């Protein structure tokens, strides 16, 4: 089963820089690309260091395409820690809803904001948000939606108005339109846009290195101020660090795209992929002890259960590995794979779909014999083990256990 299926069963049972080389992690012997190679990578546009904008733009004014080889699916810059102006009210609503003991209390927060015309005021200002601040607002809307039990709703569907507050639905739909992403209420949005370095770095460092090396704190806490971080807080920070440590996986995926099964660089890249997946698994294990010791509430278990029901817990880095190795498509069908991806932004889904196509030659190793095919199968097995370890971490967050995380199958 995929991570999502394992996670759902578990919850029910318990009630480098952009200029880095684009090769197999800088591997010796990796062959350079030729003009005949498929253009899988979407090149990032460089922005001068003295230009302080919310998003990179090319000379024609269009947003720079996302380059997963630069920093995975992490945001281009650290997420917005504090919103300003009228948007401080959305900040306050999200923080209050996150620590609410139940859905009813969280809904009451939204109702009070609606009666005070705060939601209407925010709705009128959505079009003025920069892309970066729109992502920050979307994360806060996602927190409120899952806290209220509305994460499965389509904000523009007429039936949603029978369940949720009209004013909040209008704000939600407007932000979804602004970021061109209707399904953003998921763990990737909550995790990858809900962290900040505890202290300001003394110099500019790439976003993936920042998330790997700095102490991270949640922007919207699921635990009251002054109290220890909750299991949900620690799970989301673990997902962020997993993405940051998985940056080389994206670069290896780019290396494998379009390679022939008998290309001399293919087994080298696959061996490195195995090592990276083992390292990511060790990273998850390192998060398990503190997460198990953290407090948890029934409301947080409910949030995790709701996201699991929607297939909204799969980290993007695991989906990138699946796009290369074909585990999800082979075992659960392409339809299920697209279901897991719908919570990612369109440019991320497009990159994964491109990897599906261009890594197809490498996946033919699954039906062959010989040492190269054995390396490919080892890579598949290491991904399965990584997903199981992540599932065990989610299980721990939803329902604490005293036993160790499972070993590799």
């Amino acid at each position: 089963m995929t991570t999502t299926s394992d996670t759902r069963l578990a919850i029910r049972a318990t009630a480098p820089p952009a200029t880095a080389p684009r090769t197999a992690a800088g591997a010796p012997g990796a062959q350079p690309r030729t003009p005949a190679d498929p253009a899988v990578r979407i090149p990032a546009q460089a922005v001068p260091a003295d230009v302080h904008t919310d998003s990179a733009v090319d000379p024609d004014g269009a947003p720079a395409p996302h380059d997963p080889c630069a920093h995975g699916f992490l945001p281009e810059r650290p997420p917005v820690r504090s919103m300003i102006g009228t948007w401080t009210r959305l900040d306050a609503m999200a923080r209050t809803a996150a620590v609410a003991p139940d859905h009813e209390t969280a809904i009451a927060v939204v109702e009070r904001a609606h009666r005070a015309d705060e939601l209407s005021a925010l709705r009128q200002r959505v079009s003025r948000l920069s892309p970066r601040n729109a992502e920050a607002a979307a994360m806060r809307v996602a927190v409120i939606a899952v806290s209220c039990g509305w994460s499965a709703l389509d904000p523009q569907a007429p039936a949603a108005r029978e369940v949720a507050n009209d004013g909040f639905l209008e704000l939600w739909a407007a932000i979804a339109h602004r970021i061109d992403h209707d399904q953003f209420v998921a763990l990737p949005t909550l995790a990858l846009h809900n962290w900040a370095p505890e202290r300001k770095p003394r110099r500019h460092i790439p976003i993936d290195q920042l998330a790997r090396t700095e102490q991270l704190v949640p922007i919207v806490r699921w635990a009251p101020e002054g109290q220890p971080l909750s299991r949900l807080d620690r799970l989301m920070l673990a997902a962020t660090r997993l993405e940051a440590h998985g940056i080389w996986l994206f670069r290896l995926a780019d290396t494998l795209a379009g390679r022939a099964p008998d290309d001399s660089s293919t087994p080298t890249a696959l061996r490195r992929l195995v090592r990276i997946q083992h390292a990511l698994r060790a990273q998850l294990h390192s998060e398990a002890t503190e997460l198990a010791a953290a407090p948890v509430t029934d409301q947080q278990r409910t949030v995790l259960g709701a996201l699991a029901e929607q297939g909204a817990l799969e980290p993007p880095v695991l989906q990138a590995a699946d796009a290369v190795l074909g585990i999800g498509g082979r075992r659960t069908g392409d339809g299920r794979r697209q279901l897991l991806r719908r919570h990612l932004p369109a440019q991320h889904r497009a990159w994964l779909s491109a990897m599906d196509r261009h890594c197809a030659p490498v996946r033919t190793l699954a039906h062959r014999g010989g040492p190269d095919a054995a390396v490919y199968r080892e890579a598949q097995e290491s991904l399965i083990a990584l997903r199981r370890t992540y599932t065990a971490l989610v299980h721990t967050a939803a329902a604490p256990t005293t036993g160790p995380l499972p070993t590799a199958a």
Side-chain angles (χ1 to χ4, degrees):
M1 290 185 290
T2 65
T3 298
T4 302
S5 301
D6 290 343
T7 301
R8 184 183 299 114
L9 291 175
I11 291 175
R12 285 176 173 172
T14 60
T19 56
R22 312 297 195 196
T23 62
Q31 296 182 354
R33 288 190 174 275
T34 67
D37 286 337
V40 177
R41 186 191 317 121
I42 305 174
Q45 302 283 345
V47 180
D50 58 344
V51 178
H52 300 288
T53 58
D54 282 318
S55 63
V57 294
D58 64 20
D60 297 326
H66 180 78
D67 181 11
C69 296
H71 47 66
F73 284 167
L74 290 166
E76 301 283 347
R77 293 167 56 192
V80 174
R81 186 191 290 262
S82 299
M83 304 195 76
I84 62 174
T86 306
W87 292 99
T88 58
R89 291 303 307 142
L90 185 64
D91 241 343
M93 276 189 283
R95 295 173 194 275
T96 304
V99 298
D102 50 43
H103 289 337
E104 290 71 23
T105 306
I107 292 172
V109 172
V110 176
E111 295 291 346
R112 286 196 298 271
H114 180 64
R115 289 194 295 271
D117 289 330
E118 294 173 355
L119 299 178
S120 176
L122 293 174
R123 166 66 184 86
Q124 295 170 12
R125 289 167 172 78
V126 168
S127 61
R128 307 175 196 173
L129 286 172
S130 67
R132 185 164 172 254
N133 280 310
E135 290 175 344
M139 182 273 288
R140 289 153 174 84
V141 166
V143 169
I144 296 170
V146 296
S147 298
C148 294
W150 298 335
S151 56
L153 295 180
D154 176 353
Q156 300 188 64
R161 297 185 178 276
E162 301 176 5
V163 179
N165 178 279
D166 286 358
F168 182 74
L169 289 174
E170 290 173 1
L171 173 63
W172 182 352
I175 289 178
H177 178 74
R178 181 71 180 85
I179 65 175
D180 191 24
H181 186 193
D182 293 330
Q183 300 282 345
F184 64 83
V185 183
L187 186 74
T189 299
L190 295 177
L192 299 187
H193 294 279
N194 190 25
W195 63 275
E198 191 172 36
R199 63 180 179 85
K200 184 177 180 180
R202 286 175 291 183
R203 67 185 189 281
H204 173 73
I205 58 177
I207 187 74
D208 56 291
Q209 184 179 339
L210 177 71
R212 284 197 305 270
T213 59
E214 293 292 323
Q215 182 69 29
L216 305 183
V217 294
I219 294 173
V220 176
R221 289 169 50 108
W222 290 82
E225 290 293 334
Q227 295 187 17
L229 295 181
S230 70
R231 284 188 178 88
L232 190 50
D233 288 319
R234 292 193 177 277
L235 176 65
M236 292 179 181
L237 292 179
T240 299
R241 282 189 284 264
L242 182 70
E243 196 75 17
H245 282 272
I247 179 61
W248 293 112
L249 190 148
F250 284 91
R251 293 168 185 169
L252 283 168
D254 185 67
T255 297
L256 287 165
R259 297 298 187 196
D262 54 357
D263 191 307
S264 61
S265 67
T266 298
T268 299
L270 287 172
R271 290 187 188 96
R272 291 180 178 272
L273 188 63
V274 170
R275 290 202 292 271
I276 288 169
Q277 290 176 160
H278 283 321
L280 294 181
R281 191 159 174 255
Q283 173 66 27
L284 290 179
H285 274 283
S286 71
E287 309 279 354
T289 302
E290 286 188 350
L291 187 145
V296 68
T297 66
D298 290 340
Q299 170 75 333
Q300 291 168 17
R301 292 192 184 99
T302 302
V303 166
L304 277 173
L307 293 178
E309 286 294 328
Q310 302 168 52
L313 292 177
E314 179 90 320
V317 68
L318 298 188
Q319 297 194 44
D322 174 76
V324 175
L325 299 172
I327 300 294
R330 181 171 63 86
R331 300 175 75 241
T332 59
D334 289 336
R336 182 59 183 167
R337 176 182 287 174
Q338 298 306 319
L339 191 67
L340 296 176
R341 292 177 182 174
R342 74 187 190 278
H343 303 288
L344 299 176
Q347 57 190 358
H348 297 177
R349 297 196 305 271
W351 187 88
L352 291 170
S353 295
M355 283 296 156
D356 283 336
R357 296 191 303 272
H358 294 296
C359 288
V362 173
R363 290 197 294 272
T364 63
L365 285 170
H367 311 294
R368 298 188 182 193
D372 292 353
V375 172
Y376 177 81
R377 284 189 285 272
E378 183 183 0
Q380 287 188 316
E381 290 167 1
S382 68
L383 175 56
I384 292 171
L386 174 59
R387 278 178 150 169
R388 287 176 176 172
T389 303
Y390 173 74
T391 295
L393 197 69
V394 175
H395 185 189
T396 301
T401 58
T402 56
L405 289 172
T407 57

